Amino acid sequence: MSKPLPPSKEPLSSGLIAKPVKTSPTSRRAARRSSLPFKQWMRLSSLTLLLAGASIAIGISLWTSAALILRPHPPRWLVHYWPGLMDDWGAIPAQTLAEIEAELGAQQRYAGELMDLTQISDRPELTGLKLLPVWATRSSCTHDCETIVELRLYGARPARQASEQLQLLHQLAVQGPEESTVLKTLSQTDISSLGSTYELPLTALKSLHEEELSGAWLTLTGRWRTQGSPVLYGQVLYVNPDLHRITSLLNWQSPPGRLPAWHDVDQQGLPELLVNQSYGLEPDFQLYRIDDLGVMGAQTRLQAIALTPLPLADGHTTLAYKNALFLAQRGLWSDAETQLAQLKAQLAANWSADLEQQLQLVTLHGRFSTAQAERDWSQPSQKLLALLLDGRWQPALEQITSQQQGIPQAVLPLLERDSTRVWQRLTATLRLNPNHKAARFWSALVLMAKEDEAAALKWLSADEKSPIRQEFTAIAQTVVPAEPAAVTVTARTPTAGERPDAATANATPPIWDSLIGQAIALADFDSAAWQQPITQTELTLTPGQQWFTVTLQSGHKRQQWQRPLTLPVSASEQPVS
């Protein structure tokens, strides 16, 4: 047995005793350290994918819920490949046309003609969609009692039976406009005492098809009959084939009896809808642009193109632009069109599509107003009014000074009747050009028609010796009608050898062209109390005839009606028979 080693004399080595210690290879420890980032990356990726999948699932659920709320029916492509899907989908079952008619009959309504929307447009999205107008009889009605009260959109199911099955997709209640609303377009009529809340009927469904537009566009129409031409009115409808909805976008009325029509006025994008509301000599066109067509979930609407100032790129032309719109708003369409066309040439590339739409709207009015002013009229007063409404002050003044037959005598009655329309145009002209001489004369003539000549002269100039006052006095004397001369009616017996009608050959020609009066039957007729025309035969009545007295109320003279009527009496103060 060996002896233990003696302790070391070195103090530092005294604590070092050889003991067994577990160790691991250096290469295995390094491998474990390198695998930790990979495992962390895998955990982070898995968590990210899990969150993304949950987000996608929630998004799909929300989208499906919204789709079912907006369109509680399966898409047509799915029904095509799975025909039985429609049987249990939705609360409204499919029906045949006979069943629909029976259901409406129980409600005291009846079905109109079923319209296949593919007859309006050959777009594939309209396949299988049909529109049904529902009619009803209005109560307390004397005429036009049948009216459309509802529109229904149906989808035709694949034909698996003898009769076609129709699935109700959407229904729209229809209500006609009030009478007072339609009358607002008759600008020349005093509507304060006309019109009511009486609902006018809608009696026809017409297509407004346009190839460039998706979906189906239609209009409901009706006619409001007046003493003249009937006024056409209605609603513009849009059928959205994606959402399966019918939307009423616009109420419209047209005194000329024109349906709304599509016109690409700016030659850019979608066409615009034009509604002609012109009445008489007054142009009135409405242009509407389409907004949000084809945007998923957005509500399609028609927005009117308004003559309100828009921002311009060139600040130096702002005043000219606003002046042109000011003239248009006051009815001076031709002048406004000229100024906007000049502005377009100045702006060149900075001329926007919105500005072009405003220009085209003004141009529509300007062409109408110009055509009315340049056409030949049967009555001189209509020609004069057309010149005034177009702002042609100097040519209109020349009509008076030329002494054309009938025009000078028509000036004051015309200005009194249409003073509002003429005055707003005159004030617009004088605001931009205070020294416009012809416009000042016409303004004075309007004051003369509404008040008197003294007010007109005072408005022109406070100086009584002013040249413009003297010039206007000459014009005023032309338009003031002369006092009619007294007519003496006498009866005399023709002399020997004189023809019976020769006694009245030199009589004064008649003052009045036509007369209106009230006739009252006479029970007893005393021929001695009345002057009688010179005739060879005695005035006697045949069986069935009756004597009447006529109280004259109005007279027509030189193409103008005048009221009240003042007739000259004879020197002998005897009544005229």
Side-chain angles (χ1 to χ4, degrees):
M1 184 174 181
S2 60
K3 297 180 178 179
L5 294 175
S8 174
K9 297 181 178 180
E10 299 257 348
L12 294 177
S13 61
S14 61
L16 297 178
I17 302 174
K19 296 181 179 180
V21 179
K22 293 182 178 181
T23 60
S24 59
T26 304
S27 61
R28 184 180 298 176
R29 183 178 301 172
R32 287 182 178 179
R33 291 176 181 175
S34 62
S35 65
L36 289 178
F38 177 76
K39 291 181 178 180
Q40 292 177 355
W41 181 83
M42 289 295 294
R43 291 194 189 99
L44 183 60
S45 299
S46 300
L47 182 60
T48 302
L49 291 175
L50 182 61
L51 292 175
S55 300
I56 293 173
I58 293 173
I60 292 175
S61 300
L62 292 175
W63 181 87
T64 304
S65 301
L68 290 176
I69 292 173
L70 294 175
R71 187 177 61 183
H73 307 285
R76 290 191 303 276
W77 63 268
L78 187 57
V79 175
H80 178 73
Y81 294 105
W82 193 358
L85 184 63
M86 182 69 82
D87 295 337
D88 300 323
W89 190 296
I92 303 177
Q95 298 174 291
T96 64
L97 184 58
E99 292 173 341
I100 295 173
E101 291 175 346
E103 178 185 348
L104 292 175
Q107 302 171 358
Q108 295 184 348
R109 299 187 295 175
Y110 62 94
E113 183 179 356
L114 189 64
M115 176 184 292
D116 192 339
L117 295 186
T118 55
Q119 297 177 357
I120 298 176
S121 173
D122 56 359
R123 289 181 174 271
E125 62 266 22
L126 297 178
T127 303
L129 294 181
K130 299 188 177 183
L131 201 60
L132 179 69
V134 178
W135 292 74
T137 303
R138 298 188 297 165
S139 59
S140 302
C141 176
T142 58
H143 63 280
D144 294 334
C145 298
E146 305 298 316
T147 180
I148 298 175
V149 295
E150 185 183 8
L151 287 174
R152 293 186 176 186
L153 181 64
Y154 286 95
R157 291 178 51 181
R160 293 181 297 164
Q161 301 177 5
S163 57
E164 185 180 38
Q165 297 288 309
L166 299 174
Q167 180 76 34
L168 180 61
L169 304 178
H170 188 245
Q171 52 195 129
L172 175 70
V174 173
Q175 187 174 5
E178 294 181 355
E179 184 183 37
S180 58
T181 303
V182 175
L183 283 175
K184 288 181 181 179
T185 57
L186 307 182
S187 57
Q188 288 183 331
T189 304
D190 181 12
I191 63 172
S192 59
S193 59
L194 298 177
S196 64
T197 57
Y198 176 74
E199 183 180 317
L200 298 177
L202 294 167
T203 57
L205 181 63
K206 300 180 181 295
S207 169
L208 289 180
H209 173 61
E210 175 61 34
E211 290 290 345
E212 300 181 33
L213 302 179
S214 63
W217 294 81
L218 307 102
T219 180
L220 287 167
T221 64
R223 290 182 182 272
W224 183 81
R225 300 184 182 278
T226 62
Q227 295 179 353
S229 300
V231 178
L232 199 65
Y233 59 87
Q235 296 179 14
V236 174
L237 306 172
Y238 173 64
V239 178
N240 191 320
D242 297 322
L243 300 179
H244 288 173
R245 291 186 64 85
I246 315 170
T247 306
S248 178
L249 301 181
L250 175 70
N251 291 323
W252 58 270
Q253 44 273 335
S254 176
R258 305 289 179 84
L259 284 173
W262 297 102
H263 291 274
D264 192 1
V265 295
D266 57 358
Q267 302 299 319
Q268 298 182 25
L270 298 176
E272 289 76 26
L273 185 68
L274 173 65
V275 178
N276 187 352
Q277 298 183 168
S278 304
Y279 181 70
L281 298 178
E282 196 74 50
D284 186 2
F285 297 94
Q286 298 293 325
L287 272 180
Y288 299 89
R289 68 168 67 94
I290 303 175
D291 282 350
D292 301 329
L293 183 62
V295 180
M296 183 62 183
Q299 181 67 41
T300 301
R301 57 195 179 98
L302 292 172
Q303 182 179 1
I305 298 174
L307 296 179
T308 54
L310 300 173
L312 300 180
D314 187 359
H316 297 290
T317 58
T318 301
L319 181 59
Y321 170 60
K322 291 183 177 180
N323 287 343
L325 293 185
F326 173 75
L327 293 175
Q329 293 165 358
R330 297 302 186 276
L332 295 173
W333 300 105
S334 297
D335 293 341
E337 178 188 359
T338 300
Q339 295 193 20
L340 284 178
Q342 295 174 353
L343 184 62
K344 178 181 179 180
Q346 295 175 10
L347 291 179
N350 293 325
W351 187 257
S352 65
D354 292 338
L355 292 174
E356 181 63 23
Q357 289 176 345
Q358 286 186 335
L359 171 60
Q360 294 303 322
L361 178 59
V362 172
T363 301
L364 286 171
H365 289 81
R367 289 176 180 174
F368 181 95
S369 186
T370 300
Q372 299 299 323
E374 294 179 352
R375 64 173 287 189
D376 294 329
W377 291 93
S378 59
Q379 296 188 11
S381 59
Q382 291 179 316
K383 176 68 174 181
L384 183 61
L385 180 59
L387 291 173
L388 293 175
L389 295 182
D390 196 36
R392 304 190 181 195
W393 312 121
Q394 186 58 38
L397 197 62
E398 292 173 356
Q399 293 285 323
I400 301 176
T401 57
S402 65
Q403 294 295 323
Q404 184 176 347
Q405 183 179 3
I407 286 187
Q409 292 77 15
V411 171
L412 295 183
L414 182 149
L415 294 178
E416 185 176 6
R417 183 180 64 250
D418 296 287
S419 59
T420 301
R421 295 191 292 167
V422 176
W423 185 258
Q424 73 174 6
R425 289 166 166 85
L426 285 168
T427 53
T429 299
L430 293 176
R431 179 175 174 179
L432 301 183
N433 186 6
N435 297 322
H436 197 299
K437 191 175 181 180
R440 294 186 65 187
F441 280 149
W442 278 110
S443 299
L445 286 171
V446 172
L447 289 175
M448 181 176 171
K450 299 294 290 184
E451 299 182 27
D452 51 30
E453 185 176 351
L457 291 172
K458 184 177 180 180
W459 181 85
L460 279 173
S461 177
D463 184 9
E464 296 182 358
K465 298 182 179 180
S466 172
I468 194 171
R469 289 186 59 160
Q470 297 177 1
E471 190 173 350
F472 175 76
T473 301
I475 297 175
Q477 292 176 353
T478 303
V479 300
V480 173
E483 292 294 334
V487 178
T488 302
V489 180
T490 59
R492 67 183 181 89
T493 305
T495 59
E498 186 179 14
R499 295 179 56 187
D501 57 346
T504 57
N506 298 323
T508 305
I511 300 175
W512 305 95
D513 302 325
S514 303
L515 296 172
I516 293 179
Q518 181 181 8
I520 301 176
L522 280 178
D524 298 322
F525 174 70
D526 184 7
S527 60
W530 298 88
Q531 293 187 17
Q532 301 180 20
I534 300 173
T535 178
Q536 290 180 333
T537 60
E538 183 180 359
L539 295 178
T540 58
L541 297 180
T542 60
Q545 292 183 336
Q546 173 71 46
W547 287 105
F548 289 86
T549 61
V550 178
T551 303
L552 298 177
Q553 297 174 335
S554 180
H556 190 272
K557 178 174 65 176
R558 297 193 179 103
Q559 300 185 356
Q560 290 292 326
W561 286 100
Q562 299 189 13
R563 182 184 299 171
L565 177 64
T566 301
L567 289 178
V569 297
S570 65
S572 58
E573 299 293 336
Q574 294 181 351
V576 179
S577 61

